[in-house]
Amino acid sequence: MTRPAQAFADHRGANVHNIGQTPASKSDELPYGKIRNGELPPMMFQIRMNNGQTVSFAYSDVREIRSRDAGFVQIGVFAMSRVMITIEGRNLIELTNLLGMAMIRWISEADPRGEERPETSPEIDSISIEPIDAG
C-alpha cells in the first residue's frame, strides 16, 4: 500500500475541470478593473489612454463625480493641480457607482482598431484629462 500523500501527489488535478468559469473573450472584458470581494479599496485609480499613456489619481483627491447619462462621467480631482477627467462611452452606470465607492483600480480607453463589442456591454470611447482654471 502506498502512502496517502504520494497517492494524492500522483493524481493531483487529473480529473478536475473548472466548469464554473469560462475564459473571457476579448469582447467580454470590461474597460475597467474592479476590486474583488474582500480586497481593500485602492488608494489610487489609473487612467489608461489608447496612446499608451497612463495617469494615476488618488481617491482622496476626488471631489466630485458627475454622470449626465449612461455614457458620460466626469470626475473632478483637486490635488496639486486641479483636473476634470471626462469619460465618454456607453453603459457606464456601473463604473460611476463603483468610482463613488472607490472600487475601481483602472479605467481603459478603447482602442479604435480593436474588435467590436456588443451594444449591451460597457465601452469607453474617449477619456480626456483637462486642467480646471483656479480663477
Side-chain angles (χ1 to χ4, degrees), residues 114-126:
E115 66 184 58
E116 288 291 318
R117 298 172 53 86
E119 285 290 321
T120 57
S121 64
E123 183 166 27
I124 297 174
D125 297 324
S126 68

Side-chain angles (χ1 to χ4, degrees), residues 62-124:
V62 173
R63 294 296 177 257
E64 62 182 331
I65 300 172
R66 296 180 185 188
S67 178
R68 181 184 64 211
D69 52 46
F72 182 86
V73 181
Q74 279 190 322
I75 307 165
V77 180
F78 295 6
M80 294 292 283
S81 62
R82 295 176 177 215
V83 297
M84 184 66 69
I85 303 166
T86 303
I87 303 168
E88 294 182 277
R90 67 171 184 258
N91 299 325
L92 302 178
I93 293 172
E94 181 186 38
L95 173 64
T96 304
N97 294 336
L98 292 172
L99 279 167
M101 296 183 288
M103 296 180 71
I104 295 292
R105 291 197 180 282
W106 54 266
I107 302 168
S108 183
E109 188 176 32
D111 185 350
R113 301 164 297 179
E115 66 184 58
E116 288 291 318
R117 298 172 53 86
E119 285 290 321
T120 57
S121 64
E123 183 166 27
I124 297 174

